[in-house]
Structures are given as structure tokens and as C-alpha cells.
Amino acid sequence: MTAEPTTHATTNEDAGHERRAGALSPPYLFVVLHCDSPLAGGARYDLSDVDQVTIGRGSSRAATRTREGELRKLDLRLPGSIISSKHGVLVRDAERWSIEDAQSRNGIFVNDERVTRVTLRDGDFIEVGHVILRYRAALPASRSAPVDLDTAHLTPRAPGFGTLLPQLAEQLTDLDRIARMPVTVLLLGETGTGKEVLARAVHTLSGRPGPFVAVNCGGLPASLLESQLFGHVKGSFTGATRDEIGTIRSADGGTLFLDEIGDLPLPAQAALLRVLQEREVVPVGGTRPLKVDLRVVAATHKPLEYMASRGEFRPDLLARLSGYRHELMPLRGRIEDLGMIVGDLLRRSEVPGARDVRISMSAGRRLLRHTWPLNIRELQQLLAVATALSTGSVIEAAHLPSGSLGAPPERAPEAEHSLLEPEKLRQHLIALLEKHQGKVSYVARDMGKARMQIHRWLQRLGIDPKIYRR
């Protein structure tokens, strides 16, 4: 089933006015995953200018904003045979939201428990039929961010640029602008977050006519590394039976993607620095520098500043690579996008029947609560295996591995609280913010941490302490 575009009773001009007048950290309701139709993607709805949200069955996903006197309403329609025509209602009470069952046939579940009425907390998952939604109390957003957004009519500028998270959308907009400029880009992020996908997108958006050439700096033998990168002349070493231009000159006129740049040995770093500074390359065994016109995009999951401080990475090369830095968010930090990513992965899957597969509610809950240490790459492999194992075109919880598909990425030593699962850390912080009425300094004292560390956690998890102040 394909979700239809969201419809609005307000005009585009009205919606823009509402955003300009609204808060910069508004509450949101996300449609995260349609388990019975995972290709449908997801949607988000800004609740800052809404007093009541009615959720019920519709032929397709659609939202309408209306006003009845002073009451501002959002009517959300979701497809599903077990969803009642009026299934549930979200009601605003000052800065808090509660959800109540509207005497539906199959009930409303919040965090796996059936509820009649409950006050929502940031990050709560809401189940309506076979659809899983998520409430976020406050997320950073610019005044120009769309009030509502539906992936059914979201057209990303390039692969990897789609998101429902307003702050991430702003970062990708900045990357789009940078892609069109002659600026070196450094992509930072954990393994499996899609750094090469974004690097290819930067090349596509740049409009450069030459090729996109990817090099895995950690996958080249040290003895052949410089020859592979910079090329060589015939007879320069044993086995050099002909001239080779190397990968750098192969990217002439296009984009050179240096993946895992943190694994590049120091001698090769010096030669690469010359390429970036002088835009020329000297082949192994050669004496004459050759001009090259290329755009460099580098990527790593390693802490380059720390490596530079230890003499393991050249600070001058780091400065050259850091024309513009973009840090990719781990999948566990963008769970609201999981339904959109699942739909995209199933569409592109080579496993027979992947486009028609459904996901049981128990499997959907596990997907949303998994910490994804290997990120999108892990999700891709998990979906491929689960689809192949499924019978009757339904992925059940039994088809998902009991643990992750690999060990979590290595982390630098941190305080014990930072090693908690993100969801547990979020709930712990929220509980302390409620206890201390939003006073961050009190939360820091309670946790035995610096105030700045608490602010970093709050920003990373999208928690606004102001909403807990009384």
C-alpha cells in the first residue's frame, strides 16, 4: 500500500506563518512504521499550533488541519483494517500531551502497554492498529522547516538526503550547498552510517563532469599504497611493466572519495597533502609533477584530532581535509527515520518478495528498540536475512537475530552514563529534568557530571529542558 500525500486545510502561506510564529523546539508526532505496509514510509506533524489530534482509519495516510472556534485540530487518517474510524485522541494540556482511547475496537498501546488515557513522555511509542507512531516533546527546528512532512511526497535532492528530522534536514541542506562549491568535505560517523552514499551524492550534486572514484585507504597493501594512489612509471619497481596513472589521476575532472582516511600511513599522508595543496601529483618513479583537477571527499570513523595529537595523523593534512565537516547521525539517533529507511531498503533489495513483505508488530517493536551498533548496514543485512526466512511474506520476531549482527563500535573511555543505551539515557535524563524542574545544573550535580556534558547529551538526544520548567 502506498501512502498518499498529506492534505491540509491551511494554505501554504498560513503554514509558513505558523512556523515563523512558532517555537524553535516544537513538539512532534511521527508516523514511524506501517508494519502491514512498510513501503509506505513515514510522516511528521508539528504540534506547536495544535490543541487536539484525532487519529482514525482512512483509505490512505492523510492529515488535515482545521480550526473550530479557538480549538486548533489535526485530523490524522491512517490505513488499516483494525483501526477504528475514531481510534484515539491526543490532547494538549499546557506544555504536555496525553493520549486517550476513543473506545476503539482494538485499543491503543503506549510502549507495549494498552492504555485508556496516559500522559506522554518524550520518545514514547504509540501503536494504533499496525502503525507505530512516536511522540517527541521538543526537537530543534528552523523557522523555515515545513509544518508537516510526508515521505510519500518527499523528494530528496540525492540518495541519502531524505529525513523527517528537522535538524538533520537543515544539516543536509547545508551539505547540498557545499556540494556545489569547490570545497573539500570530511564525512565523520560510525561504521555503516552511509558515508559513501553521501559522498556519491556530493559528487552528483556538484555537477562535476568527471568520474566518482572511491578508494578504501584501509584496504590497500602498504607496499602498493602510493603506487595505487599516485600511479607509477614503467620500470620504477619490480613488476612495473607499464605506466599507471593511479586512482588520483583517474578522478581528474571528478571526485576522489578517500574512505577510511584515518588508516592512511604517514608517508602517503605527506604525498596526499601535496596533491591537495598544489593540485598536482608525482607518480612513483617520476620526476615531473602532473596537474590534476579533482574534488576530494574523505571519510572516517576514527578520531582524527586525537590521532593528530598523538602524531598518528598529520595536523596539516587534517586542516586541508576539514574544509567542511559533516557528521552522520547513527541510526539509533534517527529512529524516527527508520520506516523511511526500511521502505527504501526493501525497494532496492534483491531478495525475491521483498517489496511485498509485511512486518509483524512484535518484529516492528524489536526493530525500533534495537540499538543498531552497525547502523544502516546492519539493518540492510537484517532485512535481507529476515525476508529470506519469512513465510507467508511476513517478517516475524523469530526471523530477527536475538542480538546485533556484530559487536558495537569501539568507543573512547567515557563516563558510565554515556555508555547507556540511548533510550535508557533519554529516560534517565527526562526523569531528572522532571525531578529538578528543568534545571540542568541540578541534573549535572545529581549525575556527578559537568553541566556542559549534560547539555551535549540533551542536544544529541533532542531534549529541550525548558519544557520541564515550572
Side-chain angles (χ1 to χ4, degrees), residues 31-34 40-44 61 149-152 164 336 339-340:
V31 176
V32 180
L33 181 64
H34 288 257
R44 77 158 193 249
R61 186 172 64 226
L149 189 62
D150 194 304
T151 61
L164 289 170
E336 291 80 5
M340 177 191 71

Side-chain angles (χ1 to χ4, degrees), residues 1-5 34 56-63 76-80:
M1 183 180 297
T2 301
E4 295 296 328
H34 288 257
R57 185 179 65 250
S59 59
S60 60
R61 186 172 64 226
L76 176 59
R77 300 285 106 185
L78 299 172

Side-chain angles (χ1 to χ4, degrees), residues 167-197:
Q167 188 175 31
L168 179 55
E170 293 169 31
Q171 295 170 3
L172 291 170
T173 297
D174 290 342
L175 184 60
D176 182 16
R177 296 192 187 101
I178 291 294
R180 305 170 197 280
M181 303 297 171
V183 177
T184 302
V185 175
L186 180 60
L187 301 175
L188 304 170
E190 296 177 7
T191 298
T193 48
K195 293 186 286 292
E196 183 168 348
V197 172

